[in-house]
Amino acid sequence: MAVEAPYKLAGVMGWPVAHSRSPVIHNHWIAEHDLRGAYVLLPVQPQRIETALRALPVLGFAGCNLTIPHKVSALSVVDTVDALAQRIGAVNTIVVEADGSLTGRNTDGFGYIQSLRDVQPEWRADTGPAVVLGAGGAARAVIVGLMDGGATEIRLANRSGGKAHDMAQEFGGPVRAIGWEDRHDALAGAALLVNTTNQGMHGEPALDLRLEHLPAQALVSDIIYVPLETPLLAAARLRGHVTVNGLGMLLNQARPAFAAWFGVQPDVTSGLVAKVQATF
Ligand code: NAP
């Protein structure tokens, strides 16, 4: 008698978490690859993160994703934090190992870089200076992704100046803090502009940024995905820039996590993109 493949569970832990698109993405791949399993929402309050993570092996989970507010607190709960997640300072993927221990990884930087390559396959991080706006959690993953891709200059501007300076000190290398008021001028000579602030997100005002100094060939990306085209991306498109929205980062960060849990490398197909877009 043939032995059935094990039924595997995965999910996304957050608070709140009902809005997450991750179940649509992972359940699409589970069906596409004819796997036995499910990806579920795991609403977990901040003070229960340790109990919830320790329950994963007991409940037969292969792992889970983490979203707000657990990405940083999980660092001190898991048994091993891999080197990349250490540098980013956050965990977005938990893998339950064969012995029941928990490993924390971070796939957000990979997701961001891959989202650029999906739109512009020949894109390289060392083409020219990158301007990163915002110095929150997502910016850390974007910056580490750019650094590991070989970026030679990353100009980092944040509304609260201290954070950009602290981050530039911590990461060193190509990362240089610039004043928030200097962000318009800092676009001169840039090859990439990325917005990692929440400005332009549904319910927030547009990012206050003048694009006149940005070279015509610069790639403009916004990691926001609601709306798909932020006012920044709309303005950049009207100036003729190639633009990249945040949906690609969301879809691509899911790929290494799915591969770790289910043993299959999934793809971001047009069918998946359409399915996720239909949820907005
Ligand atoms: P976060 O840690 O809270 O950081 C928020 C950032 O926005 C900070 O740099 C903050 O600056 C800045 N900001 C807030 N209000 C501002 C204003 N009025 N003017 C200028 N800057 C302002 O958040 P996060 O986790 O990094 O997420 C940031 C954005 O990325 C969100 O829109 C989120 O949806 C998106 N995101 C997308 C993906 C994806 O997969 N596509 C993944 C993660 C996050 P201060 O330090 O001055 O407050």
Side-chain angles (χ1 to χ4, degrees):
M1 204 173 76
V3 181
E4 259 192 321
Y7 189 90
K8 285 188 182 167
L9 282 168
V12 54
M13 227 176 249
W15 188 267
V17 75
H19 63 283
S20 172
R21 266 68 181 198
S22 291
V24 176
I25 300 169
H26 289 276
N27 286 319
H28 173 90
W29 286 331
I30 288 172
E32 183 178 60
H33 294 282
D34 223 1
L35 299 169
R36 300 182 67 242
Y39 184 101
V40 297
L41 291 175
L42 297 167
V44 172
Q45 291 176 343
Q47 66 274 22
R48 312 199 77 164
I49 183 67
E50 180 159 11
T51 311
L53 286 176
R54 287 295 168 203
L56 290 173
V58 183
L59 295 170
F61 275 74
C64 72
N65 284 127
L66 297 178
T67 186
I68 287 171
H70 303 312
K71 285 187 176 189
V72 176
S73 53
L75 284 169
S76 57
V77 174
V78 298
D79 302 295
T80 309
V81 179
D82 81 1
L84 186 58
Q86 297 260 21
R87 283 169 64 219
I88 294 173
V91 166
N92 80 335
T93 301
I94 302 282
V95 176
V96 175
E97 306 292 351
D99 63 359
S101 65
L102 305 175
T103 300
R105 301 187 188 179
N106 195 308
T107 65
D108 283 334
F110 166 84
Y112 175 68
I113 298 297
Q114 195 55 44
S115 76
L116 302 185
R117 295 213 170 109
D118 283 353
V119 171
Q120 208 168 65
E122 73 283 8
W123 181 85
R124 294 170 55 107
D126 60 0
T127 309
V131 176
V132 177
L133 300 181
R140 296 183 64 91
V142 167
I143 288 170
V144 169
L146 290 171
M147 287 176 76
D148 288 356
T152 50
E153 185 183 346
I154 299 173
R155 303 169 186 165
L156 174 61
N158 191 59
R159 177 183 59 171
S160 322
K163 267 200 222 170
H165 279 98
D166 290 353
M167 213 181 268
Q169 285 243 302
E170 179 187 340
F171 287 130
V175 186
R176 187 161 60 85
I178 56 164
W180 183 243
E181 63 288 353
D182 298 327
R183 65 194 181 282
H184 317 283
D185 294 340
L187 300 180
L192 172 70
L193 164 65
V194 47
N195 175 41
T196 76
T197 78
N198 63 359
Q199 299 294 281
M201 204 168 113
H202 179 71
E204 293 286 336
L207 178 70
D208 176 8
L209 183 67
R210 297 194 310 271
L211 296 179
E212 74 251 22
H213 297 304
L214 190 65
Q217 68 277 14
L219 189 61
V220 178
S221 80
D222 197 323
I223 67 166
I224 290 169
Y225 53 86
V226 184
L228 282 172
E229 185 173 73
T230 59
L232 168 66
L233 292 189
R237 180 172 52 79
L238 288 175
R239 291 184 92 237
H241 296 279
V242 175
T243 62
V244 184
N245 66 37
L247 184 59
M249 177 173 172
L250 178 76
L251 294 166
N252 280 293
Q253 61 78 31
R255 291 172 57 213
F258 188 87
W261 302 325
F262 293 99
V264 177
Q265 192 63 246
D267 288 321
V268 173
T269 58
S270 54
L272 174 59
V273 172
K275 199 182 265 187
V276 176
Q277 278 185 358
T279 67
F280 293 131

